[in-house]
Amino acid sequence: GVIKLSHVRATGRFLIDILPLLFVAPAVGLIESWTTMQEFWLAVVVISLISTIAVVAISGRITQFIINRKGGKND
């Protein structure tokens, strides 16, 4: 209840609208450095997968903790 949805709705929509643009620069950087990254692309892919799974798992656990703490568990 600290931050009201009406206060951040416009900013959130703006960020979602420009989200694809935020990925253009990193994608171009990866394309330009492909010759350097060819040597260790498998390590980059594995690290990316592991970190993505870790972020999803930790975010899920934190969300469950907050929901249970507020007494919102109906299951």
Side-chain angles (χ1 to χ4, degrees):
V2 176
I3 299 174
K4 305 240 183 284
L5 180 60
S6 60
H7 295 150
V8 296
R9 179 178 282 134
T11 303
R13 286 188 178 155
F14 170 74
L15 290 173
I16 290 173
D17 288 342
I18 67 162
L19 192 62
L21 294 176
L22 299 176
F23 288 102
V24 171
V28 170
L30 286 174
I31 291 170
E32 286 184 358
S33 63
W34 176 246
T35 56
T36 307
M37 289 183 54
Q38 278 182 324
E39 300 172 18
F40 52 89
W41 69 270
L42 184 60
V44 171
V45 170
V46 170
I47 290 169
S48 296
L49 286 174
I50 291 172
S51 62
T52 300
I53 292 168
V55 167
V56 169
I58 292 169
S59 298
R61 291 293 183 179
I62 291 172
T63 302
Q64 287 177 344
F65 173 77
I66 292 172
I67 289 171
N68 292 339
R69 185 171 160 219
K70 290 186 175 186
K73 186 173 182 180
N74 293 327
D75 296 329

